[in-house]
């Protein structure tokens, strides 16, 4: 039996985020976007996840999953928490942050690494105030709040890409 990307059970309903604390709202929106990316992949076999479908772009759904694991690690764990860890899929010098070297045979592993990275990133931010700051690799002082907002926009941007990739793969649309 061929592995397929698992279905996503939504844990966040956007309507429930209207009157919560700022922290709950930021975490809720980030989780909703994480789930949206996985929902775009749900039910697809590895070959479909690794296929380019919107020429001339070489983006793939699996590449986006890998990229987001890499970006989460960079901002939450390496930058904010100061963890001295390597990359998930790439080296810092390649500039593509997981988008390249996508192989269908690694799809199940890559999804597992994404899920593990999300858990580790949530743990890195837990218990820290949104106003807590760190100095970025470019020497700029940034807050944890800034990281949440950045990650929400990064997912929103790439979920738009995922919309097109999924529709071109099998015609599926929707959030």
């Amino acid at each position: 039996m061929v592995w397929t990307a698992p279905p996503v059970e939504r844990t966040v309903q956007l309507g429930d985020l209207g009157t919560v604390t700022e922290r709950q709202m930021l975490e809720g929106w980030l989780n909703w976007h994480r789930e949206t990316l996985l929902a775009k992949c749900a039910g697809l076999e590895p070959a479909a996840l690794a296929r380019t479908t919107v020429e001339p772009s070489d983006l793939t759904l699996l590449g986006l999953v890998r990229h987001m694991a890499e970006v989460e690690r960079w901002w939450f764990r390496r930058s904010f928490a100061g963890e001295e860890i390597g990359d998930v899929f790439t080296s810092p010098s390649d500039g593509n942050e997981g988008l390249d070297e996508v192989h269908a045979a690694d799809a199940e592993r890559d999804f597992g690494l994404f899920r593990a990275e999300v858990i580790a990133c949530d743990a890195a931010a837990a218990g820290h105030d949104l106003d807590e700051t760190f100095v970025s690799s470019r020497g700029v002082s940034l807050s944890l709040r800034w990281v949440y907002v950045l990650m929400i926009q990064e997912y929103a941007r790439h979920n738009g890409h995922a919309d097109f990739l999924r529709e071109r793969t099998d015609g599926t649309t929707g959030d």
Side-chain angles (χ1 to χ4, degrees):
M1 178 171 217
V2 176
W3 177 86
T4 60
V8 175
E9 187 172 322
R10 290 283 188 180
T11 61
V12 177
Q13 300 302 316
L14 295 180
D16 295 338
L17 299 177
T19 58
V20 297
T21 68
E22 179 185 18
R23 180 65 173 255
Q24 291 169 320
M25 185 178 294
L26 291 171
E27 289 174 351
W29 272 101
L30 179 55
N31 285 325
W32 187 85
H33 278 293
R34 288 167 170 165
E35 292 170 359
T36 297
L37 179 58
L38 295 178
K40 294 295 176 186
C41 300
L44 294 178
E45 294 181 358
L49 292 166
R51 184 178 308 125
T52 59
T53 59
V54 184
E55 296 75 21
S57 173
D58 60 359
L59 276 178
T60 66
L61 288 166
L62 184 56
L64 290 175
V65 169
R66 291 163 43 99
H67 175 68
M68 292 313 300
E70 204 71 69
V71 173
E72 289 224 25
R73 175 178 276 220
W74 173 262
W75 285 108
F76 280 112
R77 296 180 66 195
R78 293 173 77 182
S79 296
F80 174 72
E83 294 181 35
E84 294 185 19
I85 53 175
D87 296 295
V88 185
F89 299 106
T90 61
S91 68
S93 62
D94 83 357
N96 289 317
E97 299 149 337
L99 292 170
D100 295 336
E101 302 297 320
V102 174
H103 303 287
D106 298 330
E108 184 174 10
R109 179 206 67 175
D110 292 353
F111 269 70
L113 289 169
F114 171 84
R115 285 192 184 90
E117 198 56 42
V118 164
I119 291 167
C121 289
D122 285 347
H128 292 277
D129 191 275
L130 292 174
D131 291 325
E132 189 172 327
T133 62
F134 64 98
V135 177
S136 76
S137 61
R138 294 185 178 161
V140 177
S141 182
L142 302 169
S143 68
L144 178 57
R145 176 183 291 102
W146 185 92
V147 173
Y148 274 104
V149 172
L150 172 76
M151 291 306 306
I152 291 166
Q153 80 77 32
E154 183 84 5
Y155 270 101
R157 176 177 173 229
H158 289 308
N159 281 339
H161 297 133
D163 283 336
F164 287 120
L165 294 169
R166 181 60 189 253
E167 185 174 8
R168 294 280 299 178
T169 296
D170 67 358
T172 299
T173 60
D175 62 305

